[in-house]
C-alpha cells in the first residue's frame, strides 16, 4: 500500500492564493518523480470542473482523468499552510494534499487520511502544528488510538443458542480478537450476568480489561427466556471514555420509543447505522437500496463530488455504507465522509435515506451511478 513518507510533507508553507498553493504542490510532485511538468495545468483544469475542497480545512487537488498519461508513478505531496488558503466559497484550506494517481493504489491512504479527519477539532491541530512528524501522525490516525470501534465484523447475527452465556462468550471473543480488550475483560464478562434493558435486549460491560472503546453484538436466531425474561440480543461494551455513549444514547432512544424492530431483525450493517446515527428519527421510514460502483477508479473525488452534490439537492437524510469496506455508515452529504469509504470498482454501496424526498433521491442516485457519475465507464 502507498505510504505517506515524512519527506512528502511540507509544514509551514505560505501561498498567496489557491493557484499558488496548487503550483507548489505540483512542483513537489514533479521533483519527486511522480509527474511531468505539464501536470500543473491539468490540476488547475480539474479545479475549474469541481472544487477539490473536502472540508475541515483540507483540499485534495489532482489532475483530470485525461491527464493520467502525465503521471509517471503514483504519489502524494502534503503541504501545510498555517495562514490558510482561500479555496473559494468561504472555504479555507490549511492542509493541501496533492495527488498523482496512475490507478487506485492511493485510495486506501486517502481513505485513512479522510477518516482520521472526521473530527472537527482536528482542524486547529492541522493549522497550528509545526512538525512533519506530528502532521503525519494526525493525518494517518496515529493519534486516534482511543477512537471508537463498532463495525459489522463485531456483530454476530443468527446465533444458534438458547444460552445467554454463549452470547456473552461470543461478544467477549469478538472484542478480544479485535484487540479491544484483554483476558481480564473476557473473564469478567463471562462470569457476570448482563443487565436486562427490556424488549429482549441485554447489556454488559467490565470494569477491568478495557483497552480501546468498542462494542460487540450477538443476536440469537430465535428469542429465548432466562428466568422468565426474553433474550434476543446482547450488547457488550468496552468503554474507556465518553465515545461509546453515542451508541448507548441511540439505543436508549430506540428503547424508549419501543422501536427496536430493525435492531432485532436487520443485518449487521443496518445495526451499525441505527446505533451510530445521532440525528436518526426512528419515526421516519427508511428507503434502502444497494448499488455497485462501476467506475474504473472507484469513488474518488470527482465522482464522489457528483454523487454528494446530487444528494444535497433532495430534502432527506442519507447514510451510505460500503458493504465491501469496514461497514461504517457515512453521511451522504459530506464529500470527505464519502471519500473515506474507500470505494473501489465493484464495491457495493448501500444507501439508507429518510425524509420527504428519500425515494426521489434513490431514483436519482440509481440513474447517476448507471451513467457513470460524470465519467465514462472505461475511464
Amino acid at each position: 500500500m502507498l505510504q505517506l513518507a515524512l519527506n512528502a510533507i511540507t509544514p509551514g508553507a505560505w501561498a498567496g492564493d489557491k493557484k499558488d498553493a496548487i503550483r507548489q504542490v505540483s512542483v513537489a510532485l514533479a521533483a519527486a518523480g511522480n509527474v511531468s511538468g505539464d501536470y500543473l495545468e491539468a490540476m488547475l483544469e480539474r479545479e475549474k470542473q469541481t472544487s477539490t475542497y473536502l472540508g475541515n480545512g483540507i483540499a485534495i487537488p489532482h489532475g483530470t482523468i485525461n491527464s493520467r498519461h502525465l503521471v509517471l508513478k503514483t504519489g502524494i505531496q502534503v503541504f501545510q499552510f498555517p495562514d490558510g488558503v482561500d479555496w473559494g466559497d468561504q472555504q479555507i484550506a490549511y492542509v493541501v494534499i496533492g495527488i498523482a494517481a496512475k490507478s487506485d493504489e492511493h485510495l486506501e491512504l486517502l481513505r485513512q487520511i479522510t477518516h482520521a479527519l472526521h473530527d472537527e477539532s482536528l482542524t486547529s491541530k492541522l493549522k497550528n502544528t509545526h512538525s512533519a512528524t506530528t502532521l503525519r501522525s494526525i493525518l494517518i490516525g496515529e493519534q486516534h488510538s482511543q477512537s471508537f470501534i463498532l463495525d459489522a465484523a463485531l456483530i454476530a447475527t443468527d446465533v444458534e443458542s438458547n444460552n445467554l452465556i454463549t452470547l456473552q462468550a461470543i461478544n467477549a471473543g469478538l472484542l478480544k480478537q479485535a484487540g479491544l480488550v484483554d483476558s481480564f475483560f473476557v473473564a469478567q464478562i463471562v462470569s457476570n450476568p448482563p443487565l436486562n434493558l427490556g424488549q429482549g435486549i441485554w447489556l454488559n460491560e467490565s470494569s477491568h480489561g478495557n483497552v480501546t472503546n468498542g462494542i460487540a453484538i450477538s443476536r440469537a436466531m430465535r428469542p429465548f427466556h432466562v428466568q422468565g425474561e426474553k433474550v434476543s440480543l446482547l450488547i457488550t461494551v468496552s468503554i474507556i471514555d465518553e465515545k461509546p455513549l453515542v451508541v448507548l444514547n441511540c439505543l436508549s432512544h430506540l428503547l424508549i420509543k419501543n422501536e427496536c424492530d430493525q435492531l432485532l431483525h436487520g443485518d449487521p450493517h443496518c445495526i451499525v447505522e441505527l446505533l451510530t446515527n445521532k440525528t436518526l428519527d426512528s419515526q421516519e421510514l427508511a428507503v434502502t437500496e444497494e448499488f455497485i460502483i462501476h467506475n474504473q477508479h472507484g469513488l474518488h473525488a470527482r465522482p464522489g463530488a457528483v454523487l454528494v452534490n446530487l444528494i444535497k439537492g433532495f430534502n432527506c437524510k442519507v447514510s451510505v455504507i460500503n458493504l465491501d469496506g469496514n461497514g461504517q455508515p457515512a453521511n451522504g452529504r459530506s464529500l470527505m465522509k464519502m471519500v473515506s469509504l474507500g470505494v473501489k470498482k465493484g464495491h457495493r454501496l448501500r444507501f439508507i435515506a429518510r425524509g420527504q424526498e428519500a425515494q426521489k433521491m434513490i431514483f436519482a442516485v440509481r440513474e447517476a451511478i448507471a451513467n457513470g457519475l460524470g465519467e465514462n465507464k472505461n475511464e
Side-chain angles (χ1 to χ4, degrees):
M1 185 187 79
L2 182 66
Q3 301 293 321
L4 179 57
L6 283 176
N7 61 6
I9 301 174
T10 303
W14 182 88
D17 54 25
K18 177 169 69 171
K19 183 176 180 179
D20 184 25
I22 295 175
R23 181 192 61 78
Q24 293 182 47
V25 169
S26 70
V27 168
L29 287 169
N34 299 120
V35 300
S36 69
D38 296 331
Y39 195 65
L40 171 59
E41 294 305 316
M43 296 178 83
L44 294 175
E45 179 62 30
R46 171 65 183 81
E47 202 65 39
K48 291 178 183 178
Q49 295 174 0
T50 309
S51 173
T52 59
Y53 185 83
L54 281 182
N56 288 4
I58 308 155
I60 54 166
H62 52 282
T64 62
I65 292 173
N66 295 330
S67 68
R68 286 208 174 101
H69 66 283
L70 300 175
V71 178
L72 306 178
K73 63 179 181 178
T74 297
I76 290 179
Q77 289 288 325
V78 177
F79 274 64
Q80 179 219 25
F81 297 98
D83 293 332
V85 179
D86 185 351
W87 220 260
D89 297 325
Q90 298 182 325
Q91 297 168 327
I92 304 298
Y94 296 101
V95 170
V96 177
I97 304 171
I99 301 172
K102 290 185 71 69
S103 59
D104 62 359
E105 60 264 50
H106 68 294
L107 289 180
E108 176 60 25
L109 177 57
L110 187 58
R111 185 196 67 77
Q112 278 187 298
I113 290 172
T114 53
H115 181 71
L117 298 174
H118 75 281
D119 185 350
E120 296 287 344
S121 67
L122 288 178
T123 302
S124 62
K125 295 180 182 179
L126 294 172
K127 175 182 175 181
N128 295 317
T129 185
H130 304 289
S131 162
T133 302
T134 302
L135 273 171
R136 182 181 184 276
S137 296
I138 295 171
L139 288 170
I140 65 175
E142 290 177 350
Q143 295 192 351
H144 294 271
S145 59
Q146 305 305 319
S147 60
F148 168 64
I149 298 175
L150 171 61
D151 58 41
L154 291 173
I155 300 176
T157 56
D158 298 330
V159 176
E160 273 281 13
S161 176
N162 59 359
N163 190 321
L164 187 52
I165 293 178
T166 300
L167 301 185
Q168 293 171 242
I170 288 173
N171 284 359
L174 288 170
L175 292 170
K176 179 70 161 57
Q177 186 176 16
L180 308 183
V181 302
D182 62 22
S183 299
F184 293 104
F185 181 97
V186 175
Q188 190 166 22
I189 284 296
V190 173
S191 61
N192 292 339
L195 174 67
N196 182 9
L197 301 179
Q199 302 178 48
I201 297 172
W202 296 61
L203 176 74
N204 63 345
E205 60 179 312
S206 169
S207 57
H208 301 288
N210 302 271
V211 176
T212 299
N213 291 311
I215 289 181
I217 299 173
S218 57
R219 189 176 67 201
M221 181 173 289
R222 290 171 295 277
F224 57 91
H225 290 80
V226 172
Q227 297 181 346
E229 300 291 345
K230 181 181 177 182
V231 179
S232 295
L233 179 143
L234 173 66
I235 298 174
T236 303
V237 186
S238 171
I239 181 168
I240 59 174
D241 57 31
E242 76 285 352
K243 292 185 179 70
L245 296 181
V246 172
V247 167
L248 298 180
N249 287 337
C250 287
L251 175 62
S252 177
H253 175 78
L254 293 170
L255 288 164
I256 291 171
K257 296 286 188 178
N258 197 27
E259 295 171 348
C260 295
D261 187 67
Q262 293 184 68
L263 193 63
L264 297 173
H265 297 96
D267 67 14
H269 300 289
C270 176
I271 292 172
V272 172
E273 198 262 346
L274 280 170
L275 293 179
T276 56
N277 194 334
K278 290 181 286 187
T279 63
L280 179 63
D281 182 352
S282 55
Q283 295 284 354
E284 295 177 321
L285 294 177
V287 180
T288 302
E289 193 159 340
E290 295 174 12
F291 304 100
I292 296 175
I293 297 299
H294 296 288
N295 297 63
Q296 188 66 30
H297 298 284
L299 201 63
H300 56 89
R302 184 184 178 188
V306 170
L307 190 54
V308 168
N309 288 333
L310 173 67
I311 290 171
K312 286 181 177 179
F314 293 90
N315 182 17
C316 58
K317 302 170 187 174
V318 185
S319 292
V320 183
I321 299 170
N322 182 0
L323 298 178
D324 297 296
N326 65 8
Q328 291 284 355
N331 182 355
R333 293 174 172 272
S334 166
L335 178 57
M336 184 177 67
K337 300 291 178 65
M338 292 288 275
V339 172
S340 75
L341 292 173
V343 181
K344 298 182 180 180
K345 182 180 179 181
H347 279 192
R348 298 164 298 145
L349 292 187
R350 175 181 294 172
F351 288 75
I352 304 172
R354 292 178 173 85
Q356 246 180 3
E357 298 184 304
Q359 190 64 68
K360 289 182 180 179
M361 189 280 302
I362 290 292
F363 286 149
V365 166
R366 180 189 302 146
E367 183 178 358
I369 290 176
N371 290 331
L373 295 171
E375 297 182 337
N376 294 328
K377 291 186 179 180
N378 294 324
E379 290 181 331

